[in-house]
Amino acid sequence: MFSTKMKKYLLVQFLLIGMVLASLFLIATKCYIWFDESFTINLVRRKVPDLIRLTAMDVHPPLYYLAVRLCVVLFGENIFSFYLTSILCYGALLVATSLFFCRYFSPEASFLVTAAFCAIPSMLMMGPLQLRMYSMAMLFVTVSFYLAYIVLYHLSSMNYGRSRRYLFLLALSNVLAAYTHYFAGVAAAAISFFLLIVFLWKKGRRKKMFLTWCLYCGGMIVLYLPWLPVLFRQMSAINGDYWIAPFTLDSLSSYWNLLFNMQPKALRLLLIAFYLIGLFLFFLRFKRDGKNIWMLGCYVVILLWFAFGIGYSCIRTPILIDRYLLTLLPLAWLPVLFGYTRLSSKPVLGAALLLLTVCFVYNYKASYQERATYSQKGLRDYIAANASEKDIFLHFYIQDLSICEAYFPEMEHYVMDYADDGQAFRYWPLLVDCHELSSADELPDTDANIWCLNDSCIPIFEEMGYQVDYVKAGAQTFFQIHK
């Protein structure tokens, strides 16, 4: 299957992928978390039935959280366990990309695409380096698109048996995507619709291919059937008061920025120019063959994805935000990279690899520095060094509660009952171990410290005769309250 040349290319790529993954774990040890990540940590601490019940109420599907929980069970509750799922999914995406392009395109194309997937800013910084499901969603959606090509490849070779087998794998990958993120499910549906277009476009056996496609869709529905009522219930529960902002034409700029989330400005402009030139080369040399049609399908899938997201947001209620596009980010780059490989020019490919290497190095350095200097580091380190398990937290905001609960689960957490509890937080009392208070007077009488992140506590506790000490640790300010 793989020639000697292909094996040499793959060996080099796998070594580089291993180095990239090891470097990502090094960044992950510089742990800080933001609200969505704290949601992940607090959720995977629940027992499996509670975890599934909570995800069925008002969050994303459960597959990613179950995978993280499995890692925690196997390796204990530590930074390595929490990040393992995201980084391994990213590594699996890089390996699958190397193998796919080496087998069906060329070793040079495999090297270029894999390098690009290591260097695309948002893909690197918002996928494996976050405790969220985007890395897993990218893996399943991209693998589904690869499988769609393999289905069409064997179909064009009249190998219907293999085509059906890969169609089954495609259905499975699509369902896994839908169990990972709802908009990954939309992407899976868009890939299926693109496949139908190609089936009907091909001459001959259209009736049989349409029947095969219907059976394939029926199989996906059966596999997703346990979660389908949850999907419909959550879609009907979302209304205009939900936390997602209405979609406007100005919102489109944020999706464009996601493609080139790069600083400094000069490097960002180079990346934009690289993208536009590659896109021009792709359409300049476009042919009506299987590879070009499949590459064009990337944009068909993206357009269908946007059509659903924007249409539903405008007609019923907003459901689309820019970071959901991460699930399709690899597809947005594939035709561009394919355009460069069609040149078969070593100097051009060398220059492209140099640019991508510079992008990776800069993004890696920026991510490392961001984590090393993040303001929450001071909060975490100071309280860990100066607090005891008898100390308690008082919170005025749900986000503070969720983050501090993730950092300090052994401490008691209290929250004011008038804290923000809109639709985005409506199930937090079930998720986080805390006690609700209508006033600070209801706090238990304690000689231990009371910690608070909000200055609203100052007049309350001063009136109660407590001493309120202002603490600044790094860039974070908070309050230590004691008798």
Side-chain angles (χ1 to χ4, degrees), residues 26-38:
L26 182 61
I27 293 183
T29 60
K30 303 288 183 181
C31 175
Y32 75 84
I33 56 175
W34 60 296
F35 172 66
D36 283 11
E37 291 178 310
S38 72

Side-chain angles (χ1 to χ4, degrees), residues 38-46 51 54-55 59 65 431:
S38 72
F39 188 94
T40 298
I41 292 174
N42 289 318
L43 185 59
V44 300
R45 284 174 175 159
R46 307 293 102 179
L51 186 155
L54 285 165
T55 54
V59 284
Y65 301 111
L431 174 67

Side-chain angles (χ1 to χ4, degrees), residues 341-465:
T341 61
R342 295 295 293 269
L343 287 177
S344 300
S345 170
K346 291 185 177 180
V348 171
L349 292 178
L353 288 171
L354 178 61
L355 173 62
L356 294 172
T357 301
V358 171
C359 288
F360 171 78
V361 170
Y362 187 88
N363 284 317
Y364 182 86
K365 181 181 177 182
S367 297
Y368 191 92
Q369 290 178 340
E370 179 188 17
R371 287 176 175 264
T373 59
Y374 193 68
S375 61
Q376 283 184 4
K377 184 177 184 296
L379 166 73
R380 183 196 62 190
D381 293 347
Y382 184 91
I383 295 181
N386 294 278
S388 70
E389 291 188 8
K390 294 181 180 180
D391 288 358
I392 63 177
F393 270 97
L394 175 65
H395 303 287
F396 290 79
Y397 294 98
I398 301 302
Q399 295 198 21
D400 291 343
L401 165 67
S402 185
I403 291 171
C404 290
E405 170 75 18
Y407 280 136
F408 308 106
E410 71 283 353
M411 296 171 65
E412 290 289 332
H413 293 265
Y414 295 82
V415 61
M416 307 306 293
D417 61 6
Y418 52 79
D420 46 0
D421 58 352
Q423 282 203 0
F425 310 107
R426 54 181 162 175
Y427 299 116
W428 61 263
L430 302 175
L431 174 67
V432 178
D433 293 325
C434 65
H435 310 277
E436 283 190 284
L437 305 173
S438 58
S439 71
D441 296 335
E442 298 176 10
L443 280 169
D445 187 22
T446 178
D447 292 327
N449 291 311
I450 301 171
W451 302 90
C452 186
L453 275 61
N454 188 270
D455 59 9
S456 300
C457 69
I458 296 176
I460 295 174
F461 283 99
E462 286 181 341
E463 287 183 10
M464 295 169 61

Side-chain angles (χ1 to χ4, degrees), residues 141 145 183 186-191 194 255 259 275 279 295-310 320 325 327-335:
V141 169
F145 200 68
F183 267 92
V186 174
I191 291 171
F194 165 68
Y255 296 93
L259 285 173
Y275 187 92
L279 193 61
M295 284 289 180
L296 187 62
C298 291
Y299 293 121
V300 174
V301 170
I302 292 171
L303 287 174
L304 291 171
W305 186 90
F306 268 113
F308 172 82
I310 295 173
L320 187 63
L325 185 61
T327 58
L328 290 174
L329 204 56
L331 271 61
W333 279 86
L334 284 181

Side-chain angles (χ1 to χ4, degrees), residues 158-320:
M158 303 295 182
N159 193 335
Y160 300 112
R162 283 204 170 190
S163 180
R164 282 193 292 269
R165 284 197 291 273
Y166 280 107
L167 195 61
F168 170 77
L169 291 176
L170 172 58
L172 182 61
S173 181
N174 280 340
V175 171
L176 291 174
Y179 273 113
T180 302
H181 192 282
Y182 289 124
F183 267 92
V186 174
I191 291 171
S192 301
F193 193 78
F194 165 68
L195 205 60
L196 175 63
I197 294 173
V198 178
F199 281 173
L200 296 179
W201 175 67
K202 286 181 173 291
K203 295 181 179 179
R205 302 175 66 92
R206 288 177 179 172
K207 185 176 180 180
K208 186 173 182 178
M209 293 310 303
F210 178 71
L211 180 60
T212 301
W213 183 84
C214 290
L215 292 173
Y216 146 79
C217 290
M220 288 192 295
I221 292 173
V222 169
L223 291 173
Y224 197 68
L225 200 58
W227 203 255
L228 208 55
V230 176
L231 171 63
F232 291 142
R233 186 171 66 250
Q234 291 192 8
M235 288 181 69
S236 62
I238 296 175
N239 56 46
D241 296 328
Y242 203 64
W243 61 274
I244 298 177
F247 181 86
T248 64
L249 290 178
D250 292 338
S251 305
L252 291 174
S253 62
S254 63
Y255 296 93
W256 174 259
N257 290 334
L258 195 71
L259 285 173
F260 314 105
N261 184 20
M262 189 92 206
Q263 297 294 334
K265 186 176 181 180
L267 203 52
R268 174 186 170 89
L269 291 175
L270 275 176
L271 200 60
I272 293 174
F274 176 75
Y275 187 92
L276 295 178
I277 292 170
L279 193 61
F280 173 76
L281 291 172
F282 170 67
F283 284 108
L284 180 67
R285 300 189 170 214
F286 185 83
K287 299 177 181 178
R288 293 179 62 181
D289 60 16
K291 290 180 179 178
N292 282 270
I293 295 296
W294 177 75
M295 284 289 180
L296 187 62
C298 291
Y299 293 121
V300 174
V301 170
I302 292 171
L303 287 174
L304 291 171
W305 186 90
F306 268 113
F308 172 82
I310 295 173
Y312 195 92
S313 296
C314 294
I315 294 172
R316 191 176 187 279
T317 191
I319 58 170
L320 187 63

Side-chain angles (χ1 to χ4, degrees), residues 136-154:
M136 180 180 281
M138 281 192 290
L139 167 65
F140 289 131
V141 169
T142 308
V143 166
S144 288
F145 200 68
Y146 294 163
L147 288 169
Y149 177 85
I150 299 173
V151 168
L152 296 173
Y153 174 83
H154 288 296

